Amino acid sequence: MHWLFPGQRPGQHISADRLGLRLITVGIQPGQARSTALFALAEEVPAAILARMLGIHIQVAVQWQKASAGDWAAYASAVSRRADSGDRTVQPSL
C-alpha cells in the first residue's frame, strides 16, 4: 500500500502532528482552516446532526451554529409542513 503522506517508517502514514508542522512551514494554518470548515458546516447542518457527525456534545454544536449565524430554528416546522403536505422538496429557510 502506498500512502499519500508517507511517514518516516516504511508502510506507515505521517502523523497528524507532523503533517500539521509541514503545513505550517508552507504557510497553511491548519487550525484556522478547521475553524472555517466547521463554521461552513454549522451553517448548513442542524446542530443535532452536526454533533452526531463530529462526535461532539450537542451544546458545543449549538454554539458553533450560533457563532456561524446558521438559523435552524425553523427546521422542525419545515419538516412538519413537508410531512403534512406530502411535499418532499421543502427545505428549511435560512
Side-chain angles (χ1 to χ4, degrees), residues 15-77:
S15 70
D17 291 336
R18 185 74 175 141
L19 182 58
L21 291 173
R22 283 189 183 180
L23 291 172
I24 289 170
T25 61
V26 295
I28 298 172
Q29 300 296 323
Q32 184 179 7
R34 178 183 181 274
S35 295
T36 301
L38 284 172
F39 275 158
L41 190 59
E43 287 177 357
E44 298 187 22
V45 178
I49 295 172
L50 183 66
R52 195 173 331 146
M53 284 179 12
L54 299 178
I56 59 176
H57 195 276
I58 185 69
Q59 290 178 349
V60 174
V62 168
Q63 289 172 350
W64 272 102
Q65 196 171 52
K66 287 180 181 177
S68 68
D71 179 17
W72 282 91
Y75 180 74
S77 64

